[in-house]
Amino acid sequence: MQNREQWGSKLGFILAASGSAVGLGNIWKYPHMAGENGGGAFTIVYLICILVVGLPIVIAEFVIGRKTQLSPVGAFETVAPKSNWKWVGMLGVASAFVILSFYGVVGGWTLKYTLISLTGGFSQLAGDPEASGTLFDSFIKGALAPILWQIVFMGFTIFVIVQGVKGGIEKWTKIMMPAILVILVVLMIRGLTLPNGTQALDFLFKPKFEDLTASSIVLALGHSFFTLSLGMGTMITYGSYLRKDQNLLSSALWIIFLDTLIAMMAGVAIFATVFAMGADPGAGPGLIFVVLPTIFPKIVGGAIWGTLFFFLLFMAALTSAISILEVITAYFIDEKGWGREKAIIIFGSVVTVVGAFCSLSMGAFNITSFMDISFFDVLDYLSSKYMLPIGGMLTALFVLYRWGVPNFITEMVLGMDDHNINPAVVRILFMVSAAVVGFILLNEIIATITGTPIIG
Ligand code: TRP
């Protein structure tokens, strides 16, 4: 693998990996989860989970990728030849197919909403959640329009990664990540300077522990995984384009910091606007596509703020989608010897077709109707509740029991100034991380079988 592509700079790598982490999870999921689970209390639990469960696994994925210079399947195969560990890599590639199928559909929605806002379409929704709900419903349940937007979104994804790691992924995330930050700062200032806007800060950051329930803890744990793109080898793949001089600990801390910062900023921007306009902070998943379009037109210059907001959401989704498609692409390049273009065009198209069925399942035609759940929800549920946690837990177990903590540390310290890493601490961190994820999984399995979870 002499010609393996490499990142052009340390910053480029950090921005690309945080681009993967920052996505719909930060801007769409985190605010509504916090809104429904007591605000500040949820935020505190989420921060603890990110550090305890997330950090060790981010680092593990980077270290495995950089050590082997291969995407997940080849990476596990190299460290543990002729063993079943390569199936952890296969699970990652499968997860990538599953996630990108529905992620691309929502990516299409963000484009459509950017356009609606740009053309002044929110103005007749002012203060009318019902009209806004109807517009959203009739759009996503349509047969043709959402698929066309999904295809456009997937087209952007393919366009970026076809240009390669440095010339495509790195180049574009270096533009989009700063743009995301700038837009968020603007929207946050706009929100906080509205009357009552600062209530958002109390809501998000003042802990009200009486609102904290067992189920919000489980949610926070699961989300810490999803938001950092863990458990499917994304970070292994991105780590495989690194040279040995990158400090993986500080890179991981930067990525977690940016991911968390952006989730918090999005929360402040959204809730400031919600409180200023007297809307309901606990509106749930519809907070963004249904509630926000009714409040933007009530603010001076609302069409601009709305357009910026949905464009930001689009860029966040795009930088994540890029990393998901790259996992699939890298697998076919590394393991099957395919060219980049061929892999991307073929599998980008396959994912788009599967995604079209997700989109159709919202209303027009649901291939999983026999299970009483939409195909979209099947894929979402399968990946975030099972595939990603299983992948993440196995990655931690791999370091603990197959590769070995001392070997892991030897590779990890390359590029770091301080080589004194305490193996006992590392071991405990991985054990806690694996145990916590194992518990969420068990809880979910028990809930599915018996109808009542142990906690939650
Ligand atoms: N982290 C992304 C977000 O918060 C979603 C995601 C989950 C993801 N797993 C992934 C993105 C794997 C890329 C790769 O929206």
Side-chain angles (χ1 to χ4, degrees):
M1 275 297 145
Q2 277 180 348
N3 298 325
R4 191 170 191 74
E5 290 190 73
Q6 299 279 325
W7 301 109
S9 67
K10 295 186 179 187
L11 179 70
F13 163 68
I14 290 176
L15 288 180
S18 23
S20 169
V22 173
L24 296 165
N26 304 62
I27 295 158
W28 172 59
K29 259 185 159 175
Y30 164 74
H32 83 71
M33 283 173 137
E36 291 169 311
N37 290 280
F42 181 84
T43 301
I44 289 181
V45 180
Y46 168 76
L47 290 176
I48 297 174
C49 295
I50 289 267
L51 279 176
V52 174
V53 184
L55 181 64
I57 301 186
V58 178
I59 298 179
E61 291 204 11
F62 283 161
V63 173
I64 293 171
R66 187 184 64 178
K67 152 103 188 148
T68 57
Q69 300 280 303
L70 285 170
S71 53
V73 175
F76 283 103
E77 179 69 20
T78 306
V79 182
K82 307 224 179 329
S83 72
N84 282 321
W85 285 103
K86 67 167 178 295
W87 291 101
V88 181
M90 294 302 280
L91 178 69
V93 179
S95 308
F97 272 103
V98 170
I99 295 184
L100 191 52
S101 298
F102 69 83
Y103 212 84
V105 175
V106 184
W109 299 351
T110 65
L111 274 172
K112 166 75 178 175
Y113 267 67
T114 307
L115 192 73
I116 298 183
S117 181
L118 189 66
T119 53
F122 289 160
S123 57
Q124 69 260 44
L125 305 177
D128 189 350
E130 223 165 284
S132 181
T134 310
L135 175 80
F136 181 58
D137 250 31
S138 63
F139 166 60
I140 66 169
K141 289 183 173 160
L144 205 60
I147 295 183
L148 287 178
W149 286 106
Q150 180 225 359
I151 293 175
V152 176
F153 179 84
M154 290 301 297
F156 277 111
T157 310
I158 290 171
F159 167 78
V160 170
I161 80 169
V162 128
Q163 300 166 63
V165 173
K166 187 171 149 194
I169 302 177
E170 180 169 351
K171 177 175 138 197
W172 287 99
T173 44
K174 264 169 120 170
I175 299 171
M176 287 192 281
M177 288 306 288
I180 287 173
L181 271 168
V182 171
I183 296 180
L184 266 178
V185 170
V186 171
L187 288 175
M188 215 171 63
I189 294 174
R190 172 66 283 198
L192 288 173
T193 49
L194 291 169
N196 293 327
T198 46
Q199 281 182 17
L201 298 175
D202 266 3
F203 178 72
L204 276 175
F205 301 115
K206 203 154 150 202
K208 294 174 288 285
F209 286 103
E210 63 276 14
D211 291 336
L212 196 65
T213 60
S215 79
S216 28
I217 298 178
V218 174
L219 267 180
L221 270 169
H223 186 61
S224 61
F225 235 75
F226 185 83
T227 190
L228 292 174
S229 307
L230 297 178
M232 52 164 270
T234 318
M235 297 303 177
I236 297 184
T237 308
Y238 274 14
S240 77
Y241 303 126
L242 278 175
R243 276 182 303 264
K244 305 278 182 189
D245 60 355
Q246 184 105 6
N247 183 331
L248 295 181
L249 177 61
S250 75
S251 306
L253 286 169
W254 264 109
I255 288 153
I256 289 188
F257 170 73
L258 282 172
D259 184 71
T260 310
L261 178 75
I262 289 179
M264 305 286 141
M265 286 170 69
V268 171
I270 292 168
F271 285 119
T273 320
V274 166
F275 281 115
M277 298 297 154
D280 173 17
L287 191 60
I288 277 191
F289 287 105
V290 178
V291 176
L292 287 185
T294 67
I295 48 187
F296 282 127
K298 296 208 259 174
I299 311 171
V300 180
I304 301 170
W305 310 120
T307 307
L308 279 177
F309 178 80
F310 282 101
F311 189 61
L312 152 85
L313 195 59
F314 158 68
M315 287 192 292
L318 182 60
T319 50
S320 298
I322 288 168
S323 72
I324 312 182
L325 190 55
E326 180 63 18
V327 170
I328 303 174
T329 307
Y331 168 73
F332 284 94
I333 296 176
D334 291 343
E335 301 304 311
K336 307 284 172 202
W338 288 25
R340 173 168 281 272
E341 258 167 54
K342 177 177 162 197
I344 293 168
I345 308 247
I346 293 188
F347 289 100
S349 311
V350 171
V351 169
T352 308
V353 171
V354 178
F357 283 96
C358 287
S359 178
L360 287 171
S361 79
M362 312 282 354
F365 167 67
N366 180 20
I367 56 170
T368 51
S369 60
F370 62 94
M371 295 199 285
D372 262 347
I373 166 170
S374 71
F375 185 50
F376 184 110
D377 288 339
V378 170
L379 297 192
D380 180 10
Y381 192 82
L382 199 67
S383 54
S384 54
K385 301 254 172 175
Y386 294 101
M387 298 171 87
L388 297 184
I390 290 176
M393 184 181 68
L394 290 173
T395 306
L397 293 175
F398 177 77
V399 173
L400 280 170
Y401 301 112
R402 173 71 208 219
W403 196 12
V405 170
N407 294 332
F408 167 80
I409 293 178
T410 309
E411 174 70 27
M412 175 184 156
V413 294
L414 301 176
M416 288 173 57
D417 299 327
D418 181 3
H419 284 209
N420 290 318
I421 305 282
N422 184 337
V425 174
V426 174
R427 192 168 287 121
I428 290 171
L429 280 174
F430 278 118
M431 282 178 171
V432 170
S433 189
V436 167
V437 183
F439 178 75
I440 311 179
L441 271 166
L442 190 68
N443 198 45
E444 191 57 44
I445 293 170
I446 290 177
T448 310
I449 297 174
T450 67
T452 19
I454 311 170
I455 65 162

